[in-house]
Amino acid sequence: MRIVILTENTVNQRGLLAEHGLSVLVEAEGRRILFDTGQSDVYLHNARKLKAELNGLDGIVLSHGHYDHTGGLPAFPADALPPVFVREAAFEEKLTGSPERGSLREIGIPWRESGTREQEEKRDSFVRRLRENGLLHLTGEKEEIFPGIWVIGKIRAVVPQEPLPDHFFVRRQERLEPDYMEDEQLLVVRTPEGLAVFAGCAHLGILNCLERVREAFPGERFRFLLAGMHLRGCSEERLAASIDGLRRFGLTRIIPLHCTGIEAIARMRGAFGDTCLPGEAGREYVL
């Protein structure tokens, strides 16, 4: 399995670009998959610099419907666009902030089909073109998209130290409701040494994500984890519980990145040593 990190909040070499986002090229089981597309065309720039070929991809997996994981998709060359695997709930109008303080801001898919005529006139409806060309694949709770490669949804809050998030919202029929990230999905690759798991942001908690994988693949070993873990600014109790919980999964390699946060990444490096690998844009790993 080969992994090339194309977009991340940081970079590790000259000529590459960084942005708040994530995009990773995954080559496994004879397939080439792009996991997320960042928020712009930065992943394409970095792919050219790294000589990471994106023509001939087998698929693009979108982990969830936030701008920093999906915004770069329309920049992908239209004549080379492969099937796109995404949960239907990703297309909802997503916001974050505090309704009481009036600080809500939109963080959803920038190119999703819009709800008003004015918005539709202003933007090219990219998702409609995906549908018309048969490239949009709405995924289920556990779907084998290629032999030995799955997307896993229906992540639930089962770990006490990882409660439901309270600052994400969706607008449904003009009504604001809590967003418990029903659209979030994990990419899972079965390797001879165990399961490799990719998570975009793990909004419901990285341990809840891994428990969902354990439920979907009972009795199978875990091998590798690349994940944004949404631990930036979290409490000491939450961070300690996350590190202790990760130990119990017996992972041989961990790459924490993106929204994990610098402090949490440093603590994981201290806890796991060489098992914990750097995750800047430009890193390439062959496992």
Side-chain angles (χ1 to χ4, degrees), residues 245-263:
L246 286 171
R247 282 195 180 98
R248 294 195 290 272
F249 284 91
L251 295 156
T252 60
R253 291 288 186 273
I254 301 173
I255 302 179
L257 71 184
H258 182 42
C259 57
T260 304
I262 293 174
E263 181 180 354

Side-chain angles (χ1 to χ4, degrees), residues 179-223:
D179 185 3
Y180 297 139
M181 302 303 299
E182 296 173 9
D183 58 313
E184 194 145 20
Q185 62 181 357
L186 311 168
L187 175 65
V188 179
V189 179
R190 178 182 280 145
T191 77
E193 294 81 15
L195 300 175
V197 181
F198 298 81
C201 267
H203 291 92
L204 294 178
I206 190 58
L207 303 183
N208 282 322
C209 290
L210 293 176
E211 288 293 349
R212 175 68 182 106
V213 175
R214 180 159 27 211
E215 176 187 58
F217 299 91
E220 296 202 33
R221 291 181 301 165
F222 287 78
R223 177 197 185 195

Side-chain angles (χ1 to χ4, degrees), residues 81-276:
L81 194 65
V84 177
F85 300 90
V86 59
R87 299 271 285 168
E88 186 170 15
F91 294 99
E92 293 187 298
E93 183 180 354
K94 292 175 170 286
L95 307 101
T96 188
S98 170
E100 294 77 14
R101 298 176 182 173
S103 62
L104 286 176
R105 58 185 175 89
E106 186 171 345
I107 57 171
I109 294 176
W111 44 263
R112 69 184 180 88
E113 282 183 302
S114 38
T116 69
R117 180 178 297 177
E118 180 182 3
Q119 288 172 320
E120 288 179 355
E121 288 174 353
K122 286 182 178 179
R123 67 175 70 165
D124 184 17
S125 189
F126 180 68
V127 69
R128 190 178 297 122
R129 286 191 284 124
L130 284 177
R131 292 182 190 276
E132 290 172 353
N133 293 325
L135 296 175
L136 186 66
H137 293 254
L138 301 179
T139 52
E141 296 174 3
K142 179 183 179 182
E143 188 166 329
E144 191 172 17
I145 58 175
F146 302 109
I149 302 174
W150 287 261
V151 288
I152 304 294
K154 200 178 180 180
I155 303 161
R156 299 182 298 276
V158 297
V159 177
Q161 295 87 351
E162 295 183 334
L164 291 169
D166 61 1
H167 58 287
F168 294 113
F169 302 90
V170 291
R171 200 185 305 277
R172 295 172 177 149
Q173 299 179 345
E174 303 305 316
R175 189 174 66 243
L176 208 60
E177 299 179 10
D179 185 3
Y180 297 139
M181 302 303 299
E182 296 173 9
D183 58 313
E184 194 145 20
Q185 62 181 357
L186 311 168
L187 175 65
V188 179
V189 179
R190 178 182 280 145
T191 77
E193 294 81 15
L195 300 175
V197 181
F198 298 81
C201 267
H203 291 92
L204 294 178
I206 190 58
L207 303 183
N208 282 322
C209 290
L210 293 176
E211 288 293 349
R212 175 68 182 106
V213 175
R214 180 159 27 211
E215 176 187 58
F217 299 91
E220 296 202 33
R221 291 181 301 165
F222 287 78
R223 177 197 185 195
F224 169 83
L225 172 66
L226 179 148
M229 303 187 196
H230 236 272
L231 293 171
R232 185 172 52 194
C234 74
S235 67
E236 170 61 29
E237 292 77 14
R238 171 73 180 273
L239 179 53
S242 297
I243 292 173
D244 288 342
L246 286 171
R247 282 195 180 98
R248 294 195 290 272
F249 284 91
L251 295 156
T252 60
R253 291 288 186 273
I254 301 173
I255 302 179
L257 71 184
H258 182 42
C259 57
T260 304
I262 293 174
E263 181 180 354
I265 291 173
R267 291 278 296 277
M268 289 181 188
R269 176 70 176 178
F272 297 110
D274 292 341
T275 295
C276 184

